[in-house]
Amino acid sequence: PAPAPAAQLIYLSPDATEPLTGPLRKECVYVIGGLIDRTRIRGASLSRARTIGVHTVRLPLAECGLAGVHADLNVTTVIAVLAAGAVSGDWHDALHTHVPLRVRRAARTD
């Protein structure tokens, strides 16, 4: 299959300013950037998306009451949140169900 045009790509980046809202768009491909390293490289996924001209969004953590949760969740968690949000349309429920309790607890003590 031919690659999706940049206009149909949405890159999920913890550094994006715009939160993911509303239903997932069926005509779009959502790219989950996963960089594996001992430390997070701030801005790496956002920079890459901007370089190739792709729209970026972040998970709506703060908007859904998880302001202290670190935005750099593992890929498995992000996929679970996206799948649940796509089915229910409820990002609050998807995040509170799939962001691990240990991550939510750590955010409250930071």
Side-chain angles (χ1 to χ4, degrees), residues 8-75:
Q8 291 183 328
L9 293 175
I10 298 178
Y11 207 112
L12 283 126
S13 170
D15 300 304
T17 56
E18 181 183 336
L20 177 62
T21 58
L24 294 181
R25 295 170 37 200
K26 292 180 182 179
E27 72 277 9
C28 292
V29 174
Y30 290 80
V31 178
I32 300 170
L35 301 174
I36 299 172
D37 199 344
R38 289 190 177 267
T39 59
R40 177 171 176 237
I41 304 169
R42 294 212 181 273
S45 59
L46 183 61
S47 176
R48 175 66 181 145
R50 286 182 175 163
T51 299
I52 60 176
V54 174
H55 182 71
T56 59
V57 296
R58 60 176 170 74
L59 291 177
L61 295 166
E63 293 79 3
C64 292
L66 296 174
V69 172
H70 297 285
D72 47 340
L73 300 168
N74 67 46
V75 173

